[in-house]
Amino acid sequence: MLRFLSGKVVSVFDTLVVLDVNGMGFELLCTGRGAEMCREGENALLVTHLQFSEAGPSLFGFADDRERDLFLKLTTVKGVGGKMAMNILKSAPAERVVSWIAASDTDSLVKIPGVGRKTAERLCFEMHRHFEGLGTDLNLSPEVFTSGETHMDIAMEGLRSLGFAQAELLPVFRKLKAGNVSADGDLSPEQWIRLALKELKRN
């Protein structure tokens, strides 16, 4: 239902975008990346989600399906509604939010306006189940987890699918490998990913 909208950008104020779609003006509350894609007077396509609540309908705009999927997962957390989930994605890129949650980095999460300590803890706890099936729940392509590559290679490809650049990943994995993190046996792709996310957070 209303999966995306394409039209001319009428105005952009912070992350509030007005889109003219065939003469109809749609007001969308967008993520930071979604708003950055919009230039007044130019055409734009935004992935959308229409949400109904007691306060009425709200239309949210995203840069891509990955952002929308993360938004929908965030709203499954108790106490996190559409506007708070959007505020989280307005404050930080989706891949950074993923890294904070995966690493249980509540200190970074509480820096987001409106996110208190209890909400940050709930986000880390309740979102954990989405990271257990990393290949499907975070929209990583299935071929990422095929055989023929080392678990470290698979993990690196998985993080690239989440938006991390190869240039920032290579030194992190070199450091982890040099530190003999797999001395007790080869780690699973999920374990490599979690270690890499923690290291990326420190940088």
Side-chain angles (χ1 to χ4, degrees):
M1 180 183 202
L2 203 60
R3 187 60 183 257
F4 68 88
L5 285 172
S6 176
K8 181 175 287 188
V9 178
V10 177
S11 64
V12 181
F13 180 74
D14 192 16
T15 54
L16 189 66
V17 174
V18 176
L19 204 62
D20 180 349
V21 182
N22 296 323
M24 296 182 65
F26 289 88
E27 186 176 87
L28 301 96
L29 184 60
C30 298
T31 61
R33 286 183 59 228
E36 287 173 1
M37 292 169 51
C38 299
R39 299 284 186 276
E40 291 186 9
E42 297 181 6
N43 289 329
L45 186 150
L46 292 168
V47 176
T48 60
H49 175 68
L50 179 60
Q51 186 180 77
F52 293 91
S53 66
E54 293 179 358
S58 297
L59 186 59
F60 300 103
F62 310 90
D64 51 36
D65 285 322
R66 183 168 55 89
E67 281 194 339
R68 182 180 186 273
D69 290 345
L70 180 56
F71 169 87
L72 294 175
K73 287 179 173 64
L74 288 170
T75 58
T76 66
V77 176
K78 182 181 178 181
V80 178
K83 290 188 177 179
M84 179 178 285
M86 183 55 67
N87 190 50
I88 292 171
L89 292 176
K90 170 187 171 181
S91 302
E95 59 269 15
R96 194 57 59 199
V97 175
V98 167
S99 72
W100 290 339
I101 293 173
S104 296
D105 184 2
T106 55
D107 289 338
S108 292
L109 288 168
V110 296
K111 293 177 182 177
I112 298 173
V115 177
R117 179 68 58 178
K118 288 184 178 179
T119 299
E121 291 173 352
R122 280 201 301 269
L123 281 167
C124 294
F125 178 74
E126 295 185 32
M127 289 284 287
H128 179 74
R129 60 192 173 87
H130 294 301
F131 294 89
E132 292 176 350
L134 198 61
T136 54
D137 285 326
L138 287 180
N139 273 349
L140 302 188
S141 53
E143 58 269 19
V144 169
F145 290 92
T146 57
S147 59
E149 297 178 284
T150 67
H151 288 176
M152 189 177 73
D153 290 334
I154 293 169
M156 187 179 299
E157 184 60 32
L159 287 170
R160 285 177 59 193
S161 297
L162 286 175
F164 289 96
Q166 182 81 353
E168 64 178 329
L169 292 175
L170 283 173
V172 167
F173 278 93
R174 287 197 195 102
K175 181 178 179 180
L176 291 174
K177 190 174 182 180
N180 296 317
V181 297
S182 58
D184 296 329
D186 192 20
L187 299 176
S188 70
E190 291 84 358
Q191 289 172 315
W192 277 109
I193 286 172
R194 288 190 174 88
L195 285 171
L197 287 171
K198 289 180 181 178
E199 189 64 33
L200 285 163
K201 179 179 72 69
R202 295 192 189 103
N203 296 338

